[in-house]
Amino acid sequence: MSRANRIVIVGGGIAGLMLATRLGRTLGRAGAARVTLVDCHPTHLWKPMLHTVAAGTRDVAHTQIAYLAHACSHGFTYQAGRMSGLDRVRREIVLEEMEGHDGKRLLGERRVPYDALVLALGSQADDACVPGVRDVCHFIDSQPQAQAFHAALQCESLRSAVNDDALRIVIAGGGTTGVALAAELSRTFALAAGYGDPQICERLKLTLVERGPRLLGAFPPDVSASTQDQLERLGFRVLTETRVVCADRDGFYRDDGQLIPGDLLVWAAGVKAPDCLRGIGGLTTNDANQLVVRATLQTAQDERIFALGDCASLTPEQGSSALPPTAQVATQQAAHLGRHLGAWLEGRAIPPFAYRDPGASLSLSGYNAFGALGRFGFFKGGIVRGRFAQWSHAMLYRRHQHALHGYARATVLLGAEKLGGLRGPRIRLA
Ligand SMILES: Cc1cc2nc3c(=O)[nH]c(=O)nc-3n(C[C@H](O)[C@H](O)[C@H](O)COP(=O)(O)OP(=O)(O)OC[C@H]3O[C@@H](n4cnc5c(N)ncnc54)[C@H](O)[C@@H]3O)c2cc1C
């Protein structure tokens, strides 16, 4: 009797969880393959909402998905662990030792065998080796990091209220994460004023620092200018063409030696794939640790190893640059591989992935939203703003929910999420 192929997917983010769900429903349930998802965290959260968790405008209890439960009901298995190595000869991934809640060794190094391996480990902000950044800055790349920032924000807010002192928050990085977090923080403090601290907005000193000549370099200049204008009207100080060369407990230092003082520092600049991927198993990676893949999403050196989403670098045949690290790219790549991996295991070729660019969108909390329309369709290259842009931004997440839960369940979950939101205060106070 031939044994079912083992498909191992590492990383249960946007791309990885979507793929595991689809393959579990199709190949897993039919017994045609054994699908395993590995992730270092126990729950999945739609990453583009991390800034709302950090700012305290969203309670993760209403939105996170426990991998174990989702796997059980979708025909795949979940294994907790952090990948640290790859043995291509034995076709095994290596999971590093795991510590228990008391810091003691819980599990030794483990190995997980595969017949097909999909790497979907995502990305994180790149500290670019700027001294001090790793030690004193918050990062907003994962749920624990967003929650840690929120806990620190609550402490600093209390200190500022009791001492009637300024609360200085400095965000380095004027890309999507930095800008979205800045707008969300403004909203948090506007709402907090209604919970017994009317002076909070006056004590708040928010600064957004960007190295380049404008915010949101990946968007059209119009969107950058409108965003800067909006943030300044909300009371933000926006510093462009400002290079941070060092950070310590007092704040960020610019290249001219000036200090940008801050009580809370956030690093949201640059993007790189996890360090464990650099040169892993002899596979080709670029300077941002991304695995270089062919149009079939297979790595150049090993056709059994695929990479998707932010941790992959794919330059389309007709394109001059690699696809950007966005939720849209991750979603489309997962859907493509989900359609063709089963047939590949039976010996058929995977057709080349073609990215359909729907454009980029950005939400400035409830204040505004922008959408740069993509290269396809009647309105190609245009910009939308306001309610329509807000709606199309929200639709990205809704589509992700539909892919994971099916239309009916996703609709019920949306209703439950909205009702759950009515139960408590509009920001997290505890
Ligand atoms: C605050 C914020 C706002 C954003 N807003 C937008 C937006 O508006 N529009 C947009 O298109 N994009 C946005 N993005 C980018 C978008 O979130 C990413 O492009 C997308 O999440 C990439 O999906 P992915 O599946 O490649 O990786 P991820 O969703 O990051 O998932 C990676 C997974 O891998 C796991 N993992 C990592 N390392 C290991 C390891 N060693 N072992 C095991 N598991 C591991 C992680 O726990 C995680 O679950 C935003 C990002 C942030 C942080």
Side-chain angles (χ1 to χ4, degrees):
M1 198 178 88
S2 70
R3 71 171 168 76
N5 278 301
R6 296 160 303 185
I7 303 174
V8 174
I9 301 166
V10 187
I14 293 178
L17 187 59
M18 229 182 107
L19 181 66
T21 304
R22 180 167 178 142
L23 294 179
R25 276 189 201 138
T26 51
L27 307 181
R29 280 188 185 150
R34 279 187 285 155
V35 183
T36 303
L37 176 71
V38 176
D39 201 288
C40 49
H41 297 119
T43 54
H44 165 87
L45 192 74
W46 170 251
K47 194 174 178 183
M49 64 173 52
L50 279 180
H51 61 289
T52 61
V53 176
T57 50
R58 185 180 299 273
D59 190 343
V60 287
H62 301 139
T63 36
Q64 68 186 0
I65 297 171
Y67 290 123
L68 201 54
H70 191 78
C72 279
S73 51
H74 290 87
F76 66 94
T77 54
Y78 164 64
Q79 222 183 106
R82 184 180 290 277
M83 178 177 165
S84 56
L86 171 63
D87 184 338
R88 281 174 50 208
V89 178
R90 299 173 71 149
R91 291 195 203 140
E92 290 172 342
I93 61 161
V94 181
L95 303 185
E96 68 182 22
E97 277 188 12
M98 206 188 254
E99 287 179 354
H101 61 93
D102 53 2
K104 290 193 187 138
R105 184 169 179 258
L106 181 69
L107 292 171
E109 194 178 271
R110 286 164 296 152
R111 288 178 167 247
V112 183
Y114 64 82
D115 296 303
L117 174 65
V118 182
L119 299 172
L121 281 73
S123 66
Q124 57 205 45
D126 183 2
D127 68 357
C129 298
V130 173
V133 165
R134 280 267 143 215
D135 306 323
V136 297
C137 290
H138 286 270
F139 288 73
I140 315 288
D141 294 317
S142 66
Q143 191 177 325
Q145 288 176 344
Q147 286 170 316
F149 174 79
H150 184 249
L153 180 66
Q154 283 184 315
C155 292
E156 283 299 322
S157 303
L158 180 65
R159 177 197 56 75
S160 153
V162 172
N163 298 344
D164 194 19
D165 239 358
L167 167 49
R168 300 162 305 177
I169 304 177
V170 190
I171 302 170
T176 323
T177 305
V179 165
L181 177 64
E184 206 62 38
L185 284 171
S186 292
R187 176 150 168 258
T188 298
F189 286 103
L191 291 170
Y195 291 105
D197 188 2
Q199 261 72 56
I200 193 165
C201 294
E202 281 152 44
R203 292 197 308 274
L204 193 63
K205 308 283 174 239
L206 297 165
T207 308
L208 182 60
V209 184
E210 165 58 36
R211 180 184 172 151
R214 61 185 176 94
L215 299 179
L216 301 171
F219 282 75
D222 252 20
V223 173
S224 304
S226 303
T227 301
Q228 179 160 347
D229 182 52
Q230 182 92 50
L231 290 177
E232 285 171 346
R233 275 188 282 129
L234 289 172
F236 258 85
R237 184 164 68 124
V238 178
L239 304 174
T240 49
E241 293 189 86
T242 302
R243 198 159 77 90
V244 169
V245 291
C246 158
D248 68 15
R249 304 232 163 258
D250 295 327
F252 286 121
Y253 292 86
R254 306 160 51 137
D255 51 0
D256 58 8
Q258 265 191 56
L259 172 69
I260 307 169
D263 304 303
L264 280 175
L265 307 179
V266 180
W267 190 264
V271 181
K272 66 169 183 177
D275 290 334
C276 70
L277 288 183
R278 189 181 306 143
I280 194 165
L283 301 173
T284 305
T285 49
N286 63 15
D287 290 344
N289 300 338
Q290 291 170 306
L291 291 150
V292 178
V293 292
R294 299 184 241 153
T296 53
L297 304 176
Q298 288 161 303
T299 51
Q301 290 88 354
D302 194 329
E303 61 157 24
R304 286 179 182 272
I305 301 181
F306 300 78
L308 310 177
D310 286 9
C311 77
S313 172
L314 169 63
T315 305
E317 236 166 61
Q318 263 88 46
S320 53
S321 56
L323 295 176
T326 65
Q328 284 97 335
V329 173
T331 301
Q332 289 185 32
Q333 291 184 335
H336 184 78
L337 207 54
R339 274 192 296 274
H340 300 292
L341 196 58
W344 179 79
L345 288 168
E346 289 169 0
R348 275 174 274 159
I350 294 186
F353 169 74
Y355 180 55
R356 193 168 170 79
D357 182 5
S361 65
L362 169 82
S363 169
L364 297 180
S365 190
Y367 301 109
N368 206 344
F370 299 101
L373 302 177
R375 292 192 297 108
F376 293 88
F378 183 70
F379 298 108
K380 66 181 174 190
I383 292 171
V384 288
R385 50 188 90 214
R387 272 184 193 282
F388 180 70
Q390 201 76 267
W391 174 81
S392 59
H393 187 77
M395 279 312 288
L396 255 182
Y397 173 50
R398 297 292 161 226
R399 276 200 292 272
H400 180 64
Q401 284 186 310
H402 291 165
L404 296 184
H405 305 292
Y407 191 76
R409 194 172 147 79
T411 308
V412 173
L413 287 174
L414 169 64
E417 206 178 306
K418 296 269 179 227
L419 286 176
L422 295 178
R423 233 178 12 165
R426 293 173 70 194
I427 50 172
R428 284 193 59 211
L429 300 171

